[in-house]
Amino acid sequence: MTATRDGETSKDLKAEWPFPVAAALGSRVRAQGIERELRARLAFPDRKHLGVEDGRIVLRFEADQAARLAEAMRVVETVLAGVDALPVLPREVDDILTILPRERLKWLKDGRLQSAGTRTVKLRGRAKAVTFHVFDPRQIEDVLDRDLPALWRIEDAEALKEKRSRAAGKAALTRGGKAEPKAAKASRSRDPKPRLREWDAFDAEGFLR
């Protein structure tokens, strides 16, 4: 981090830090989320003084606002110190892992993706607050490194195939069960009652008495 008075272009005060690229996990959406988190932590009037340019986080204040710059610097440094642990938001998960929202919801429900808690926010233009799950960046990084979404998709496809096969088998049994009584009835109506050869003589001797 450097804090200098930029004499080449203006007398404004400036402080800058390298952007934490590793914490973004290769995701543009995650990088934007980190930037939003930095702005959200700053005092409202100071948010417009923060920018991200050329891989750097930059704060610019007028020359007579050294105290505001110092306070804003403190906030930015606090956020950057814990940036690796910032919860990953749903849209960020989708972008990092290149998955669909329905896949995220399915894998969250069956436990393959683990929630790190929930967050409730009031979105602009909505009357009610929205609650959603957030995720541990370490778990998301592990899932990414091991390419687990590709494996999970194969597992899901096999499970769906097996489910359809069982359903087809069950349907066939159901159809067979309904047809069998009619077939058996028709067979009985066509075939006379079988009799053993010489049965009458055998019965007359009384061997069954």
Side-chain angles (χ1 to χ4, degrees), residues 107-159:
W107 297 337
L108 174 63
K109 184 177 181 179
D110 65 23
R112 283 179 281 187
L113 282 176
Q114 299 172 8
S115 172
T118 58
R119 179 179 291 185
T120 301
V121 297
K122 180 80 178 295
L123 299 178
R124 184 180 302 175
R126 293 196 179 188
K128 294 183 179 180
V130 175
T131 299
F132 51 86
H133 289 274
V134 296
F135 302 84
D136 186 334
R138 287 176 291 275
Q139 190 219 3
I140 299 303
E141 184 175 15
D142 179 63
V143 170
L144 176 65
D145 290 344
R146 295 163 61 191
D147 196 19
L148 290 181
L151 175 62
W152 293 344
R153 288 186 182 112
I154 293 173
E155 292 174 347
D156 289 346
E158 291 176 348

Side-chain angles (χ1 to χ4, degrees), residues 23-101:
L25 299 175
S27 166
R28 178 183 58 84
V29 176
R30 174 73 168 165
Q32 292 173 342
I34 292 172
E35 182 179 353
R36 284 195 298 271
E37 185 70 17
L38 288 165
R39 292 185 190 280
R41 299 281 190 93
L42 290 170
F44 186 79
D46 295 341
R47 294 176 184 177
K48 63 182 181 181
H49 295 278
L50 182 139
V52 175
E53 42 190 72
D54 299 326
R56 298 172 301 149
I57 299 166
V58 181
L59 280 172
R60 286 190 176 88
F61 281 85
E62 290 75 10
D64 60 348
Q65 295 181 333
R68 287 179 62 189
L69 172 64
E71 177 60 22
M73 287 172 58
R74 184 190 66 78
V75 172
V76 171
E77 289 172 351
T78 298
V79 174
L80 291 180
V83 71
D84 290 336
L86 281 178
V88 186
L89 305 182
R91 288 183 64 248
E92 297 172 0
V93 171
D94 297 345
D95 192 56
I96 293 168
L97 301 181
T98 319
I99 63 177
L100 299 173

Side-chain angles (χ1 to χ4, degrees), residues 141-195:
E141 184 175 15
D142 179 63
V143 170
L144 176 65
D145 290 344
R146 295 163 61 191
D147 196 19
L148 290 181
L151 175 62
W152 293 344
R153 288 186 182 112
I154 293 173
E155 292 174 347
D156 289 346
E158 291 176 348
L160 180 59
K161 182 179 179 181
E162 183 179 351
K163 181 179 179 181
R164 287 175 175 172
S165 178
R166 287 198 304 267
K170 184 177 180 180
L173 288 174
T174 301
R175 290 193 299 270
K178 290 179 179 179
E180 184 177 357
K182 295 181 180 179
K185 183 177 180 180
S187 176
R188 288 195 298 269
S189 65
R190 289 194 301 268
D191 298 335
K193 184 177 180 180
R195 294 184 63 82

Side-chain angles (χ1 to χ4, degrees), residues 196-207:
L196 295 176
R197 181 178 297 176
E198 306 299 333
W199 177 262
D200 292 334
F202 183 78
D203 185 39
E205 294 293 333
F207 294 112

